[in-house]
Amino acid sequence: TAAQAMPLPGFDSSKTTSPDQTQEDDQPALAQVREQFDFCTQLLAQGAYGDHYDTCLCKDARKAAPYRGRRSSYVAALKKAAAEGRLDNAAKILTSTLNGATATVSAHWRVLPNEFGRDLTQTWRLEDGLWCRAPY
């Protein structure tokens, strides 16, 4: 008897798997990641640190050191950094890539509009249907 191909779980053989098709399929998800990233950057710029904590950080990021689930400590640390002029709160996305339910976003961050700034890369993950920043 001829061997039959077994379907792989989670694999839709009707879809092409070429790199171009994969990138095309990723576009809506990447757009969502970019929108959430921009929204979270706006929260930082507005000083809405508690909302940033609640909306933008994944559960494991909120539980990670140094805040360990203490929202008030997170808010206090960001307020202090902002008051000292060291809170990166303006960002422009340079690149974003998607690997399943995890995205990598590289952005150029600045504290002040005329400051040179720095490039940082963050990991974002799909959690409960929303994109959030994963721990470093």
Side-chain angles (χ1 to χ4, degrees):
T1 61
Q4 290 185 324
M6 296 292 291
L8 297 174
F11 180 76
D12 183 352
S13 61
S14 67
K15 283 189 174 184
T16 177
T17 56
S18 70
D20 290 343
Q21 181 67 40
T22 302
Q23 289 175 354
E24 188 175 300
D25 291 344
D26 288 348
Q27 291 308 310
L30 277 175
Q32 291 174 344
V33 172
R34 288 170 163 277
E35 287 174 15
Q36 184 68 2
F37 179 92
D38 289 340
F39 174 73
C40 291
T41 301
Q42 290 172 12
L43 289 177
L44 287 177
Q46 295 168 1
Y49 309 130
D51 291 341
H52 185 270
Y53 178 89
D54 296 335
T55 307
C56 302
L57 301 182
C58 295
K59 291 173 189 166
D60 54 351
R62 292 191 299 261
K63 292 178 183 176
Y67 307 111
R68 304 222 185 272
R70 297 176 309 219
R71 183 180 189 262
S72 59
S73 295
Y74 181 83
V75 171
L78 270 75
K79 280 184 180 179
K80 181 180 179 187
E84 295 173 353
R86 351 175 246 102
L87 178 65
D88 295 323
N89 63 6
K92 179 181 178 189
I93 296 174
L94 302 172
T95 63
S96 58
T97 57
L98 191 64
N99 184 5
T102 303
T104 302
V105 179
S106 295
H108 186 74
W109 287 86
R110 295 178 304 179
V111 176
L112 302 169
N114 59 352
E115 178 200 27
F116 179 72
R118 60 188 174 140
D119 294 346
L120 295 173
T121 300
Q122 297 177 343
T123 301
W124 288 68
R125 185 174 57 238
L126 194 57
E127 182 177 275
D128 299 330
L130 298 173
W131 290 96
C132 56
R133 197 180 87 208
Y136 294 105

